[in-house]
Amino acid sequence: MEKLTGLKKIKTAVFISGTGSNLKNIIRFSKIKKSPISVNLIISNDSRSKGLNFANQFRIRKKIFNYKNIKVAENKILILLKKEKIKFICLAGYMKILSENFIKKFSGKIINIHPSLLPKYKGLNTHSRAITNKDKFSGKIILQKKVKITARDNFTSLAKRVLKQEHKLYPAAIMKIFN
Ligand code: GRF
């Protein structure tokens, strides 16, 4: 990953599909002086994503893409990324699998966050989807943290504690990459 030059922050797009708590956290982080990135674009595949509200709140450009045709959607996204001079992508709860072609175009410049201890539980039917799509998961784990599951845990309580850790780890991962 390229080193930071001068004071310019790396133009970043955050891809979301849902609540956007990681998005909000990344935006907040991006505003501190030591952050290597600035969030310049928010992309979603779903106009109902709650996280899109953060675009208005923080006055960041947002764009929703219709995924009826993946190829068309990805090509449109790539055009916009180029136009906006985006150099880095943070996936934060994006519920679409990016194609190999897309990843190649942004090779080494995309990071993701996942709520399980990868490679375990690559969530949401990931195994069957990956097999059908002949996808290969690539890339290395930047940071990982274990969250203890207690006997009293249910989905909600565990998700809450995991998210808390995610919000610490995502900025730390960005720092790690660029330093
Ligand atoms: C997070 O748990 C993330 O790890 C997963 O999707 C969830 C997104 O949550 N990929 P939010 O939209 O950032 O609140």
Side-chain angles (χ1 to χ4, degrees):
M1 202 69 59
E2 71 196 69
K3 281 260 173 188
L4 266 185
T5 45
L7 289 170
K8 272 214 171 151
K9 292 189 176 184
I10 294 152
K11 287 193 173 201
T12 299
V14 182
F15 287 34
I16 62 161
S17 299
T19 318
S21 71
N22 278 290
L23 164 68
K24 184 183 180 196
N25 184 58
I26 294 165
I27 295 172
R28 287 221 167 120
F29 161 74
S30 74
K31 291 185 182 296
I32 64 174
K33 208 175 159 201
K34 66 168 186 183
S35 163
I37 65 156
S38 59
V39 178
N40 301 78
L41 182 63
I42 297 163
I43 284 179
S44 179
N45 63 303
D46 187 349
S47 58
R48 293 162 305 176
S49 309
K50 277 203 195 136
L52 287 169
N53 292 325
F54 295 122
N56 308 338
Q57 189 181 322
F58 292 97
R59 294 173 195 279
I60 297 169
R61 179 158 188 207
K62 66 170 182 219
K63 186 93 184 154
I64 299 134
F65 288 91
N66 181 331
Y67 255 76
K68 249 192 219 156
N69 181 318
I70 300 176
K71 250 193 176 168
V72 173
E74 285 195 345
N75 282 336
K76 283 187 180 166
I77 295 174
L78 284 167
I79 290 168
L80 180 63
L81 294 175
K82 197 165 182 191
K83 196 172 144 230
E84 297 291 323
K85 301 194 167 59
I86 299 295
K87 300 283 183 268
F88 190 60
I89 295 172
C90 292
L91 303 175
Y94 195 53
M95 301 298 277
K96 292 287 173 193
I97 293 179
L98 298 171
S99 71
E100 215 174 305
N101 170 56
F102 188 102
I103 307 259
K104 260 188 206 148
K105 298 233 161 84
F106 261 85
S107 176
K109 296 190 169 81
I110 305 178
I111 64 171
N112 186 28
I113 184 141
H114 192 75
S116 78
L117 274 179
L118 292 171
K120 271 171 119 178
Y121 314 123
K122 286 178 183 163
L124 274 203
N125 310 318
T126 301
H127 295 305
S128 50
R129 275 197 324 232
I131 291 162
T132 322
N133 294 343
K134 295 201 172 67
D135 271 358
K136 280 188 205 86
F137 281 87
S138 65
K140 54 178 184 229
I141 293 169
I142 305 162
L143 286 176
Q144 200 169 43
K145 179 140 190 187
K146 282 184 186 158
V147 174
K148 202 167 175 75
I149 302 173
T150 69
R152 282 192 298 166
D153 262 323
N154 56 33
F155 169 80
T156 318
S157 63
L158 181 60
K160 205 171 153 192
R161 282 211 318 288
V162 170
L163 269 179
K164 208 171 160 191
Q165 292 307 323
E166 289 188 26
H167 297 165
K168 285 185 192 161
L169 282 195
Y170 216 136
I174 295 169
M175 289 298 285
K176 194 175 166 190
I177 288 172
F178 291 107
N179 284 303

